[in-house]
Amino acid sequence: MSNEQVMRLHPITIAINFFNAIKTLLLPVVIFVFSTKLELSLDPSDGENFYPTLFVLGGAILFLCIVFIFAWIKWRKFIYWFEDGELRIEYGLFVKNKRYIPFERIQTLNYKEGILHRPFKLVRVDVETAGGSADAEVSLTAITREQASRIELEMKKAKQEVVVAEDGTIEDVAEIRIEKEFIYQINTKELILLATTSSSMGILFSAVAAIASQFNDFIPYERIYGEVQNIVRFGVLFIILIVLGAILLSWAVAILISYFVNYGFKLERTEEQLFLSKGLLEKKRTTLQMNRVQGIRIIENPIRQLFGYCRVIIDSAGGSGDEKEDQVVLLPFIKKKNAIRILQELFPEYVWETTYTKVPKKSLIRYLLNPIYVPLIPVGFVSYYFYPYGMWSIVLIPLILLRAYWQYKTAGFAVNHLQLTIVHRYFSKTTFVVQKNRIQSMRVTQSYFAERKDIASCHVHIMSSTTGFTAHLKHFDLQAISQLFKWYQPNK
């Protein structure tokens, strides 16, 4: 290895590493500051609060300096080069780490362009191999597009997808000549509907409420409440207005997040690969190998199902999603009939219309009673100790029974030659489709009471990310489950 061969990441990597570290530690620091309720003051005459303020500011500056130094060391000690048909990487200060990745083993290269990448025309490259790991084999945080293209070229050379003449020119580039076929692109209307019907709105609402509760010392809630109460003379109305305001704020934030994350979502394909690109502030391009698809899930939450919309998730061996995702979102928001049409085009070997074996009527009582046992204890406790207002918690029981009946009516499965289709529900309806050779394991369970009723449950597990994905068939007729298990056994 010569000095000319060694390459480093772009210096902007220091800033990226610095902000990533700050982002990770930000929440604990905020919780600490608000829990201690420090009264900060820069007035020297306020001796009681002035010196603690200097101590806090000095500690914060020292902390930021230490984080920056570690970010610089991490960048300085990271080098990579090409040698003997391998991508070679070295990193680490006290412990030297070396990773040698043969180019022929590289399965996909995923590209991301963040806010700090674009001004310098840089990309982040996640290198994935065929090893089956959920995370990228290695991530090059910030390199030029020319360097990223060179890695891709070396990968094609190793796989004999390019032919290099004696003068160094490329005579044949197999993949470049293949034009990508456009499949689907999300529009603005679908982005707004995606955000409006997303479960993230509830999470954001909870977060807004939690954050607002921490500002009691800075926002005079009691005075505001008193003034508003004098105007409207109804405290309940004020509370309703606050709740509605928080909901509207959460809804607006959810729309913005979904818009930024899914902006320009586009699905393209070649004969062997799918290409997904999305993002406004941070552009991402994910490559999915068709032969690594383990299973397909069509998910319909209750609101989207009412209007005929769904999203489609691909379970891939090794996971080709983000570091925060354990699967690939193939279609984030689309009419179900259009999703079926696209899936038929992409995966013609799958059967998308079938007849299901449903749960027998004798299993209804099990669907209704099993989810009731645990909630009865807290409901009884709240009803007794907070009487009479605690009695409102009893409303949860019929809601739980209604969801259980919904699960009973939804559950079903179908076997079509070498394909298994499972439909089940927690809140969202999930249609799970898998080929027989992609199933990692199948487990049948049966309790003592279920055995007396000839009822059994089945759990189907496939490879996906680190933990995989398991679909459940609960309380089906024993004969139907036995036939399914017999179908799964290898032919003799």
Side-chain angles (χ1 to χ4, degrees):
M1 176 185 64
S2 63
N3 292 332
E4 291 78 10
Q5 293 177 307
V6 174
M7 289 176 281
R8 295 187 183 276
L9 304 178
H10 192 276
I12 198 64
T13 303
I14 302 173
I16 295 174
N17 292 337
F18 175 80
F19 287 121
N20 286 340
I22 293 297
K23 183 175 63 175
T24 304
L25 299 171
L26 184 61
L27 182 59
V29 171
V30 171
I31 293 175
F32 170 76
V33 170
F34 283 110
S35 62
T36 54
K37 296 183 178 180
L38 294 174
E39 294 185 8
L40 303 180
S41 174
L42 293 176
D43 185 4
S45 62
D46 188 4
E48 184 178 353
N49 297 318
F50 176 68
Y51 293 105
T53 300
L54 290 181
F55 178 78
V56 170
L57 292 178
I61 294 172
L62 179 61
F63 169 75
L64 293 176
C65 291
I66 293 175
V67 172
F68 181 82
I69 291 172
F70 275 101
W72 180 85
I73 292 175
K74 185 177 180 181
W75 165 77
R76 184 66 184 175
K77 293 299 180 179
F78 191 104
I79 59 174
Y80 70 99
W81 71 95
F82 308 145
E83 187 176 341
D84 295 334
E86 295 177 328
L87 172 62
R88 299 189 173 185
I89 299 167
E90 288 187 8
Y91 58 95
L93 176 61
F94 300 107
V95 179
K96 283 282 187 180
N97 295 278
K98 298 182 179 181
R99 305 183 75 172
Y100 295 170
I101 306 173
F103 283 109
E104 61 184 13
R105 286 190 62 240
I106 295 178
Q107 198 80 8
T108 57
L109 298 173
N110 295 327
Y111 301 95
K112 299 179 183 178
E113 297 178 40
I115 299 176
L116 296 177
H117 291 90
R118 291 194 203 172
F120 305 96
K121 297 182 179 180
L122 305 173
V123 294
R124 168 181 164 177
V125 179
D126 293 333
V127 180
E128 293 188 353
T129 65
S133 173
D135 300 322
E137 187 75 18
V138 67
S139 292
L140 302 177
T141 308
I143 62 176
T144 63
R145 295 172 183 173
E146 291 75 15
Q147 290 172 320
S149 300
R150 186 178 172 188
I151 295 175
E152 190 167 358
L153 178 61
E154 294 291 339
M155 179 185 71
K156 293 174 181 177
K157 286 181 183 178
K159 295 182 178 183
Q160 298 181 346
E161 294 181 359
V162 299
V163 178
V164 182
E166 295 180 358
D167 59 358
T169 60
I170 299 175
E171 293 183 344
D172 181 30
V173 183
E175 188 174 335
I176 291 179
R177 286 210 311 261
I178 300 176
E179 294 184 0
K180 297 176 185 176
E181 179 186 354
F182 172 81
I183 301 297
Y184 163 79
Q185 184 168 13
I186 197 168
N187 55 45
T188 304
K189 175 184 175 182
E190 291 173 333
L191 278 175
I192 296 176
L193 291 174
L194 168 62
T196 307
T197 58
S198 173
S199 58
S200 61
M201 178 177 162
I203 299 174
L204 286 170
F205 174 68
S206 302
V208 169
I211 292 173
S213 65
Q214 299 299 319
F215 287 87
N216 291 321
D217 294 336
F218 303 96
I219 301 176
Y221 287 116
E222 294 182 0
R223 191 177 70 184
I224 295 174
Y225 175 78
E227 292 178 357
V228 175
Q229 189 177 37
N230 291 332
I231 297 174
V232 299
R233 297 185 179 182
F234 294 102
V236 174
L237 178 60
F238 176 72
I239 295 174
I240 293 175
L241 292 175
I242 290 293
V243 171
L244 289 177
I247 292 175
L248 289 174
L249 177 61
S250 302
W251 180 72
V253 173
I255 289 178
L256 289 176
I257 292 176
S258 296
Y259 187 87
F260 290 151
V261 172
N262 296 291
Y263 178 83
F265 184 97
K266 183 188 296 184
L267 173 63
E268 300 173 297
R269 75 164 182 178
T270 62
E271 186 176 350
E272 299 179 351
Q273 295 178 318
L274 294 175
F275 299 90
L276 300 94
S277 57
K278 63 178 181 178
L280 180 60
L281 298 180
E282 182 183 28
K283 289 187 176 181
K284 301 178 183 179
R285 194 198 82 178
T286 302
T287 304
L288 175 65
Q289 298 288 338
M290 300 281 281
N291 58 6
R292 300 181 73 180
V293 174
Q294 303 296 301
I296 303 171
R297 285 182 272 164
I298 302 174
I299 300 178
E300 307 164 74
N301 71 27
I303 299 177
R304 293 176 181 175
Q305 185 181 1
L306 184 64
F307 295 98
Y309 285 93
C310 69
R311 70 168 174 156
V312 179
I313 288 177
I314 296 290
D315 291 291
S316 173
S320 296
D322 301 333
E323 63 273 12
K324 299 177 182 177
E325 299 176 351
D326 58 359
Q327 68 273 318
V328 179
V329 179
L330 184 70
L331 300 168
F333 187 85
I334 190 174
K335 280 283 188 179
K336 186 177 180 179
K337 60 181 181 180
N338 295 333
I340 296 297
R341 175 182 56 79
I342 291 174
L343 289 172
Q344 287 175 337
E345 180 181 352
L346 295 177
F347 306 98
E349 67 275 16
Y350 285 81
V351 177
W352 299 103
E353 300 292 338
T354 186
T355 303
Y356 294 101
T357 299
K358 304 296 289 184
V359 182
K361 291 183 179 180
K362 60 184 177 181
S363 297
L364 176 58
I365 190 66
R366 302 184 65 84
Y367 270 89
L368 296 177
L369 292 182
N370 284 354
I372 287 295
Y373 298 134
V374 175
L376 278 178
I377 297 176
V379 167
F381 178 85
V382 171
S383 299
Y384 179 79
Y385 285 98
F386 297 95
Y387 181 86
Y389 299 105
M391 297 294 291
W392 283 100
S393 62
I394 298 178
V395 176
L396 292 174
I397 301 301
L399 294 177
I400 293 173
L401 290 175
L402 181 62
R403 181 181 69 89
Y405 182 75
W406 207 5
Q407 291 175 321
Y408 163 77
K409 295 294 291 184
T410 301
F413 74 92
V415 174
N416 300 95
H417 188 48
L418 297 178
Q419 173 187 311
L420 172 63
T421 305
I422 297 175
V423 180
H424 61 97
R425 177 190 297 276
Y426 186 75
F427 286 110
S428 298
K429 177 183 176 182
T430 299
T431 303
F432 173 61
V433 183
V434 62
Q435 295 287 316
K436 179 180 177 180
N437 62 344
R438 299 296 188 179
I439 299 176
Q440 296 294 308
S441 64
M442 184 178 290
R443 180 169 56 94
V444 176
T445 58
Q446 189 180 36
S447 67
Y448 171 76
F449 297 102
E451 185 178 0
R452 296 179 59 184
K453 295 289 185 178
D454 288 331
I455 295 172
S457 298
C458 184
H459 313 275
V460 180
H461 185 79
I462 66 169
M463 181 189 301
S464 176
S465 183
T466 53
T467 58
F469 171 75
T470 302
H472 305 279
L473 293 167
K474 295 183 178 180
H475 315 312
F476 278 77
D477 187 82
L478 177 61
Q479 184 178 358
I481 294 296
S482 299
Q483 290 293 327
L484 175 61
F485 196 72
K486 185 176 180 182
W487 166 83
Y488 174 65
Q489 292 177 338
N491 296 325
K492 299 181 180 179

